[in-house]
Amino acid sequence: MLGPHARLNRRDFVRLSAAGVSAAAVLGPRHRRASAAASPYPDWLPASSKSPKRGGVMTRASAWDPPVIDPRLTQSVGTFQFAGLTSNRLVRYPFSDEASGPADLTLKGDLAESWQASSDFRVWTFKIRQGVKWQNLPPLNGRELTAADIKYCYEQYAKEGFQAFTFQEIEGMETPDKYTLRVHLKTPNTLFPQNLAEPIAIIFSREVLEEDGDLKKRLIGTGPYILKEHTRKVRIVLQRNPDYWDKGRPYVDEYVILSTPDAATRLAAFRTGQADFIWVASPSEVEVVRKTNPQTLVQSYHNTLAPFGLALAQDKPPFNDVRVRRAISMSIDRQKMVDTVFEGHGILGWGVPYIYYQDSQPTAKDFGPWWQYKPAEAKKLLTEAGHPNGFSTTLFYYEYFPQMTSEVQLVQQELKKNLNIDIKITKLDYTTYYGRYVESKWDGMSWGFQSGHAIGLDERTYMYMHSKSTKNFFRVNDPIIDELTSKLRRTPERAEQRAITKKIVDREFDQVLRMWMPYDNGFLVFQPHMRNVSAGALRRTDGYGSPALARAWMEK
Amino acid sequence: MQKYVVRRLLLAIPVLLLSSLIVFALMRVMPGDALTALMGESGNVGERELAKLRKDLGLDRPYYQQYALWLWQMASLSPGDSIFTNEPIAVSLKKAIPVTLELAALAMVIGIVIAVPVGVISATRQDSASDYVGRVVAVSGLSFPEFWLGTLVITFAAIWFHWIPPIGYVSFWESPWRNLQQFLIPAAVLGFRLSAATMRMTRSTVLEVLREDYVRTAWAKGLEGRIVVYKHALKNALIPVVTIVGGQLGVLLAGTVVVETIFALPGMGRLTVEAILYRDYPVVQTNVMLVAATLVTLNLIVDLTYAWLDPRIRYS
């Protein structure tokens, strides 16, 4: 499995050792490899029918440390694993106790009670919930939230930081009264409220920003939890906000996030009850956990998209030739990757959440001819493109998770075997990888990504695929995609949105504009006393979906 | 002696300056900067915003200016702020140093407590069963990497005893019992590793000293075995051991990152590694300089300890 450029590093070794040790210790000689068949665990844990119980301390051992807590300056999951609990958004996606299932993305009011668009979808009017109070901490001291606060916050987002591109879409805002916010957009966008529902679009306070100059020390919001302590590399402590506008909630008194960078330690913390829930990637890991903790609740998570794929410098030869892109795509056996690397519990890989254009998860057949594993046809196509003897290229990546290295090596092997394409792999540290990747001046190949936090259709189409977008990392430059993604923003009808989205996806697959690769589904594992913790599509409760924990409670 | 100490301290200045230049240059050679790391996985940043943020962080200044400013800050013992978190570096160090010091001190104690008696027993009972056991233990300590041993300990502790050291560091002054629970196991993992080299050195030097004439004389005088070994032989045998232990302390201050990571302790190792990953130049530079200064000081202390252990050694 290890290719000529691969090395088994310390981290790999620890993971392999930990997995091996755990498996050997727990399962003993009778252990057999986890079944590659479908997961035996439910993909949705319905809300409890019992009355929620107040109290308790919920704890999670987290891999992520917030780089900073200022939501203008980062989109890191380390920050948004808790920022969505200290602060609200204007609108949000449904929580687990009100959603019909993981794919339910019906927008709900958060700080807004209602909203409506003008007939041309350029003006959006939001009615703000009355009686919402900022947390009772200086300098806000529990004063009431008004529409002017939200206007100020969005202006700051547009002014600087990493959400500027999204909020610069706003031409102007007005507050005709204390509880009304009217937003004028530069261009029509029927999907604008989705952008405000993104987990990162939280409302922060004017006073703190003006007093401190940034939000790096204090994060005071209107959310269900108050940030009581943030000690870097140790813990984040969130305390129940007694004045929360959603009366009676949250149910849990304290939520403690413990900084735990090592995977084996996180697993040990869950096993010993120091953590109430944990994320594991593979069925065999779930099996290992359940051997020592048989009463645990398991949610089989189903990803609606793959955030990673093979990115080609498609603005330069040889990858600007669609035949080359198609040949490469046809020479990679994605199903083999799902079966081996992800133990059968993974998705084949696509970039736009399927729930926006069809009801069921896509199969290989849905992707069209260029996504089937047909090495002989791939070779023929590459020959037609003028590369009968293959060529040499480079690929750089950062190992977001251990399986990624296996995927990269499998691609290297298959392209060599099927097309005689030689790939020199370079594994980089995060900062080097990220800087090089987003600069978009690299040659050859990269293991590319799209942001993990985004839920909305606008984010997943226009923001990531339009040639003028600063998030178009895959360097898509296709006039039909530009036209379709812009048209989607002007389309209010759900059925028509689905039809256009399908056309975008079909075009993407046909032209092989982004070469998505298999991705794991993973599992969320909870202690048996946890209630109302199910994760929705694209909203894992341990990460960007943390606001849903405001509805969680513990039966113990 | 005074002259010797002053000369050593003066010699430390070019060493530290050279270290500062190397770490400064190496950090700049690495691709990317703090801003790149800060951006997370967004692409939502225009060139103008990037340039502004870069200017705010002082990353747009020429290298010589950045270096001169940093040297000045170091000389005035005010290392500035992290460009990533804005936290004063002195504050970060104040939090991280006690963690690493406690871990290192406990590991040293555990290491010495294991190594010296086992080394002496091994030497005095050469080629006996206890010697072989001691040597096997030492070789194991050298062979088992910390990350493997640490992972093994935490995994089996969870499975067999349903217990692992409590996660979420608390200081000794806050809760001594909880603090010790957090530190004893990681310190034992580190100490076991450290004890291996020390034990082997103790064994070989004790063996060597036991063959010296003055020890034979002590035996001939009819002194008790314990007095011969511990009073006459061990003190001289300890000189090379002190060198090893001194070196190990320096390594411990800079090299506990793996154990800190496994046991979730917020020490110097994690602070430095995180700063390297985030390209937080001032934090990396300050930490490296602190380690360099500590190593220089430790080496001096070790040299001075020689004179105390062996009255024949004199510095002039």
Side-chain angles (χ1 to χ4, degrees), chain A residues 396-398 429-437 446-447 449:
Chain A
F396 67 94
Y397 80 108
Y398 163 72
D429 74 284
Y430 178 73
T431 307
T432 310
Y433 161 81
Y434 185 80
R436 190 182 294 181
Y437 179 65
S446 171
W447 208 257
F449 69 82

Side-chain angles (χ1 to χ4, degrees), chain A residues 162 265 271 431-432 434 451, chain B residues 40-42 44 162 262 277 279:
Chain A
F162 303 131
T265 312
R271 278 180 161 146
T431 307
T432 310
Y434 185 80
S451 300
Chain B
E41 288 164 16
S42 162
N44 241 350
H162 208 65
I262 293 172
L277 291 175
R279 308 293 191 269

